[in-house]
CSV table of all heavy atoms in Angstrom, one decimal:
chain,number,residue,atom,x,y,z
A,758,SER,N,3.3,-6.1,-19.2
A,758,SER,CA,4.7,-6.1,-19.4
A,758,SER,C,5.4,-6.6,-18.1
A,758,SER,O,4.9,-6.8,-17.1
A,758,SER,CB,5.1,-4.6,-19.6
A,758,SER,OG,5.3,-3.9,-18.4
A,759,PRO,N,6.8,-6.8,-18.3
A,759,PRO,CA,7.6,-7.3,-17.1
A,759,PRO,C,7.6,-6.2,-16.0
A,759,PRO,O,8.1,-6.5,-14.9
A,759,PRO,CB,9.0,-7.5,-17.7
A,759,PRO,CG,8.7,-7.7,-19.2
A,759,PRO,CD,7.6,-6.9,-19.5
A,760,GLU,N,7.1,-5.0,-16.3
A,760,GLU,CA,7.1,-4.0,-15.2
A,760,GLU,C,5.8,-3.9,-14.5
A,760,GLU,O,5.5,-2.9,-13.8
A,760,GLU,CB,7.4,-2.6,-15.9
A,760,GLU,CG,8.8,-2.6,-16.6
A,760,GLU,CD,9.0,-1.3,-17.4
A,760,GLU,OE1,9.1,-0.3,-16.8
A,760,GLU,OE2,9.0,-1.4,-18.7
A,761,ARG,N,5.1,-5.0,-14.5
A,761,ARG,CA,3.8,-5.0,-13.8
A,761,ARG,C,3.9,-4.6,-12.3
A,761,ARG,O,3.1,-3.8,-11.8
A,761,ARG,CB,3.1,-6.3,-14.0
A,761,ARG,CG,1.8,-6.4,-13.2
A,761,ARG,CD,1.1,-7.8,-13.5
A,761,ARG,NE,-0.1,-7.9,-12.6
A,761,ARG,CZ,-1.3,-7.4,-12.9
A,761,ARG,NH1,-1.5,-6.8,-14.0
A,761,ARG,NH2,-2.3,-7.5,-12.0
A,762,ALA,N,4.9,-5.2,-11.6
A,762,ALA,CA,5.0,-4.9,-10.2
A,762,ALA,C,5.3,-3.4,-9.9
A,762,ALA,O,4.8,-2.9,-8.9
A,762,ALA,CB,6.2,-5.8,-9.6
A,763,VAL,N,6.1,-2.8,-10.8
A,763,VAL,CA,6.3,-1.4,-10.6
A,763,VAL,C,5.0,-0.6,-10.8
A,763,VAL,O,4.7,0.4,-10.1
A,763,VAL,CB,7.4,-0.9,-11.7
A,763,VAL,CG1,7.7,0.6,-11.5
A,763,VAL,CG2,8.7,-1.7,-11.5
A,764,SER,N,4.2,-1.0,-11.8
A,764,SER,CA,2.9,-0.4,-12.1
A,764,SER,C,2.0,-0.4,-10.8
A,764,SER,O,1.4,0.6,-10.5
A,764,SER,CB,2.2,-1.1,-13.2
A,764,SER,OG,0.9,-0.6,-13.4
A,765,VAL,N,2.0,-1.6,-10.2
A,765,VAL,CA,1.1,-1.7,-9.0
A,765,VAL,C,1.6,-0.8,-7.9
A,765,VAL,O,0.8,-0.1,-7.2
A,765,VAL,CB,1.2,-3.2,-8.5
A,765,VAL,CG1,0.5,-3.3,-7.1
A,765,VAL,CG2,0.5,-4.1,-9.5
A,766,SER,N,2.9,-0.6,-7.7
A,766,SER,CA,3.5,0.3,-6.7
A,766,SER,C,3.2,1.7,-7.1
A,766,SER,O,2.8,2.5,-6.2
A,766,SER,CB,5.0,0.1,-6.6
A,766,SER,OG,5.3,-1.2,-6.1
A,767,SER,N,3.3,2.1,-8.3
A,767,SER,CA,2.9,3.4,-8.7
A,767,SER,C,1.5,3.7,-8.5
A,767,SER,O,1.1,4.8,-7.9
A,767,SER,CB,3.2,3.6,-10.2
A,767,SER,OG,4.6,3.7,-10.5
A,768,ALA,N,0.6,2.8,-8.8
A,768,ALA,CA,-0.8,3.0,-8.6
A,768,ALA,C,-1.2,3.2,-7.1
A,768,ALA,O,-2.0,4.0,-6.7
A,768,ALA,CB,-1.6,1.8,-9.2
A,769,GLN,N,-0.5,2.4,-6.3
A,769,GLN,CA,-0.8,2.5,-4.8
A,769,GLN,C,-0.4,3.9,-4.3
A,769,GLN,O,-1.2,4.5,-3.5
A,769,GLN,CB,0.0,1.5,-4.1
A,769,GLN,CG,-0.5,0.0,-4.3
A,769,GLN,CD,0.4,-1.0,-3.7
A,769,GLN,OE1,1.6,-0.8,-3.4
A,769,GLN,NE2,-0.2,-2.2,-3.4
A,770,ALA,N,0.7,4.4,-4.8
A,770,ALA,CA,1.1,5.7,-4.4
A,770,ALA,C,0.2,6.8,-4.9
A,770,ALA,O,-0.2,7.8,-4.2
A,770,ALA,CB,2.6,6.0,-4.9
A,771,VAL,N,-0.2,6.7,-6.2
A,771,VAL,CA,-1.1,7.7,-6.8
A,771,VAL,C,-2.5,7.7,-6.1
A,771,VAL,O,-3.0,8.8,-5.8
A,771,VAL,CB,-1.2,7.5,-8.3
A,771,VAL,CG1,-2.3,8.3,-8.9
A,771,VAL,CG2,0.1,7.8,-9.0
A,772,LEU,N,-3.0,6.5,-5.9
A,772,LEU,CA,-4.3,6.4,-5.3
A,772,LEU,C,-4.3,7.0,-3.9
A,772,LEU,O,-5.3,7.7,-3.5
A,772,LEU,CB,-4.8,5.0,-5.2
A,772,LEU,CG,-5.2,4.3,-6.6
A,772,LEU,CD1,-5.3,2.8,-6.4
A,772,LEU,CD2,-6.5,4.9,-7.0
A,773,GLY,N,-3.3,6.7,-3.2
A,773,GLY,CA,-3.2,7.3,-1.8
A,773,GLY,C,-3.1,8.8,-1.8
A,773,GLY,O,-3.8,9.5,-1.0
A,774,ALA,N,-2.3,9.4,-2.7
A,774,ALA,CA,-2.1,10.8,-2.8
A,774,ALA,C,-3.4,11.5,-3.2
A,774,ALA,O,-3.8,12.5,-2.6
A,774,ALA,CB,-1.0,11.2,-3.7
A,775,LEU,N,-4.0,11.0,-4.2
A,775,LEU,CA,-5.2,11.7,-4.7
A,775,LEU,C,-6.4,11.5,-3.8
A,775,LEU,O,-7.3,12.4,-3.7
A,775,LEU,CB,-5.6,11.2,-6.1
A,775,LEU,CG,-4.5,11.6,-7.2
A,775,LEU,CD1,-4.9,11.0,-8.6
A,775,LEU,CD2,-4.5,13.1,-7.3
A,776,ALA,N,-6.5,10.4,-3.1
A,776,ALA,CA,-7.6,10.1,-2.2
A,776,ALA,C,-7.5,11.1,-1.0
A,776,ALA,O,-8.6,11.6,-0.5
A,776,ALA,CB,-7.6,8.7,-1.7
A,777,GLU,N,-6.3,11.5,-0.6
A,777,GLU,CA,-6.2,12.4,0.5
A,777,GLU,C,-6.7,13.8,0.1
A,777,GLU,O,-7.1,14.6,0.9
A,777,GLU,CB,-4.7,12.6,0.8
A,777,GLU,CG,-4.1,11.4,1.5
A,777,GLU,CD,-2.7,11.5,1.9
A,777,GLU,OE1,-2.1,12.6,1.5
A,777,GLU,OE2,-2.1,10.6,2.4
A,778,SER,N,-6.7,14.1,-1.2
A,778,SER,CA,-7.3,15.4,-1.7
A,778,SER,C,-8.7,15.3,-2.0
A,778,SER,O,-9.3,16.2,-2.7
A,778,SER,CB,-6.5,15.9,-2.9
A,778,SER,OG,-5.1,16.1,-2.6
A,779,LYS,N,-9.4,14.3,-1.6
A,779,LYS,CA,-10.8,14.1,-1.8
A,779,LYS,C,-11.3,13.9,-3.2
A,779,LYS,O,-12.5,14.1,-3.5
A,779,LYS,CB,-11.6,15.3,-1.1
A,779,LYS,CG,-11.1,15.6,0.3
A,779,LYS,CD,-11.3,14.5,1.2
A,779,LYS,CE,-10.9,14.9,2.7
A,779,LYS,NZ,-11.0,13.7,3.6
A,780,HIS,N,-10.4,13.6,-4.1
A,780,HIS,CA,-10.9,13.2,-5.4
A,780,HIS,C,-11.6,11.9,-5.4
A,780,HIS,O,-11.3,11.0,-4.5
A,780,HIS,CB,-9.7,13.1,-6.4
A,780,HIS,CG,-9.0,14.5,-6.6
A,780,HIS,ND1,-9.6,15.5,-7.3
A,780,HIS,CD2,-7.8,14.9,-6.2
A,780,HIS,CE1,-8.8,16.5,-7.3
A,780,HIS,NE2,-7.7,16.2,-6.6
A,781,ARG,N,-12.5,11.6,-6.3
A,781,ARG,CA,-13.2,10.4,-6.4
A,781,ARG,C,-12.4,9.4,-7.2
A,781,ARG,O,-12.2,9.7,-8.4
A,781,ARG,CB,-14.7,10.6,-6.9
A,781,ARG,CG,-15.5,11.5,-5.9
A,781,ARG,CD,-16.8,11.8,-6.5
A,781,ARG,NE,-16.7,12.7,-7.7
A,781,ARG,CZ,-16.5,14.1,-7.5
A,781,ARG,NH1,-16.5,14.6,-6.3
A,781,ARG,NH2,-16.4,14.8,-8.6
A,782,MET,N,-12.1,8.3,-6.7
A,782,MET,CA,-11.1,7.4,-7.3
A,782,MET,C,-11.8,6.1,-7.7
A,782,MET,O,-12.5,5.5,-6.9
A,782,MET,CB,-9.9,7.1,-6.4
A,782,MET,CG,-9.3,8.3,-5.7
A,782,MET,SD,-8.5,9.4,-6.9
A,782,MET,CE,-7.3,8.4,-7.6
A,783,THR,N,-11.4,5.6,-8.9
A,783,THR,CA,-11.7,4.3,-9.3
A,783,THR,C,-10.5,3.7,-9.9
A,783,THR,O,-9.7,4.3,-10.6
A,783,THR,CB,-12.8,4.3,-10.5
A,783,THR,OG1,-14.0,4.9,-10.0
A,783,THR,CG2,-13.1,2.8,-10.9
A,784,ALA,N,-10.2,2.4,-9.5
A,784,ALA,CA,-9.0,1.7,-10.0
A,784,ALA,C,-9.3,0.4,-10.7
A,784,ALA,O,-10.2,-0.3,-10.2
A,784,ALA,CB,-8.0,1.4,-8.8
A,785,ILE,N,-8.7,0.2,-11.8
A,785,ILE,CA,-9.0,-1.0,-12.6
A,785,ILE,C,-7.6,-1.6,-13.0
A,785,ILE,O,-6.7,-1.0,-13.5
A,785,ILE,CB,-9.8,-0.7,-13.9
A,785,ILE,CG1,-11.2,-0.2,-13.6
A,785,ILE,CG2,-9.8,-1.9,-14.8
A,785,ILE,CD1,-12.0,0.1,-14.8
A,786,ASP,N,-7.5,-2.9,-12.7
A,786,ASP,CA,-6.3,-3.7,-13.0
A,786,ASP,C,-6.5,-4.1,-14.5
A,786,ASP,O,-7.2,-5.1,-14.8
A,786,ASP,CB,-6.2,-4.9,-12.1
A,786,ASP,CG,-5.0,-5.7,-12.4
A,786,ASP,OD1,-4.3,-5.5,-13.4
A,786,ASP,OD2,-4.7,-6.7,-11.6
A,787,TYR,N,-5.8,-3.4,-15.4
A,787,TYR,CA,-5.9,-3.7,-16.8
A,787,TYR,C,-4.8,-4.7,-17.1
A,787,TYR,O,-3.6,-4.5,-16.9
A,787,TYR,CB,-5.6,-2.4,-17.6
A,787,TYR,CG,-5.5,-2.6,-19.1
A,787,TYR,CD1,-6.6,-3.0,-19.8
A,787,TYR,CD2,-4.3,-2.4,-19.7
A,787,TYR,CE1,-6.5,-3.2,-21.2
A,787,TYR,CE2,-4.2,-2.5,-21.1
A,787,TYR,CZ,-5.2,-3.0,-21.8
A,787,TYR,OH,-5.1,-3.1,-23.2
A,788,ARG,N,-5.2,-5.8,-17.8
A,788,ARG,CA,-4.2,-6.9,-18.0
A,788,ARG,C,-3.9,-7.0,-19.5
A,788,ARG,O,-3.4,-8.1,-19.9
A,788,ARG,CB,-4.7,-8.2,-17.5
A,788,ARG,CG,-4.8,-8.2,-15.9
A,788,ARG,CD,-5.3,-9.5,-15.3
A,788,ARG,NE,-5.3,-9.4,-13.9
A,788,ARG,CZ,-4.3,-9.8,-13.2
A,788,ARG,NH1,-3.2,-10.3,-13.7
A,788,ARG,NH2,-4.3,-9.8,-11.8
A,789,GLY,N,-4.1,-6.0,-20.3
A,789,GLY,CA,-3.8,-6.0,-21.7
A,789,GLY,C,-5.0,-6.4,-22.5
A,789,GLY,O,-6.0,-6.9,-22.1
A,790,GLY,N,-4.8,-6.3,-23.8
A,790,GLY,CA,-5.9,-6.7,-24.8
A,790,GLY,C,-7.0,-5.7,-24.9
A,790,GLY,O,-6.9,-4.5,-24.6
A,791,ALA,N,-8.1,-6.1,-25.5
A,791,ALA,CA,-9.2,-5.3,-25.8
A,791,ALA,C,-9.8,-4.6,-24.5
A,791,ALA,O,-9.7,-5.2,-23.4
A,791,ALA,CB,-10.3,-6.1,-26.5
A,792,LEU,N,-10.4,-3.4,-24.7
A,792,LEU,CA,-11.0,-2.7,-23.6
A,792,LEU,C,-12.4,-3.1,-23.4
A,792,LEU,O,-13.2,-3.0,-24.4
A,792,LEU,CB,-10.9,-1.2,-23.8
A,792,LEU,CG,-9.5,-0.7,-24.2
A,792,LEU,CD1,-9.5,0.8,-24.4
A,792,LEU,CD2,-8.5,-1.1,-23.1
């Protein structure tokens, strides 16, 4: 969507916050379409 840049910023913030709490994190850049 046109909000892709906002999504990237949200993900950076979430990954940073959860990583500090020692959760095991995996991030995937989903670009639409089939999984």
Side-chain angles (χ1 to χ4, degrees):
S758 85
E760 299 174 67
R761 178 178 171 83
V763 181
S764 170
V765 172
S766 295
S767 287
Q769 290 172 339
V771 169
L772 287 165
L775 291 176
E777 289 179 1
S778 297
K779 310 302 181 184
H780 296 291
R781 294 173 292 278
M782 312 295 299
T783 302
I785 293 180
D786 184 351
Y787 172 69
R788 294 180 176 270
L792 307 182

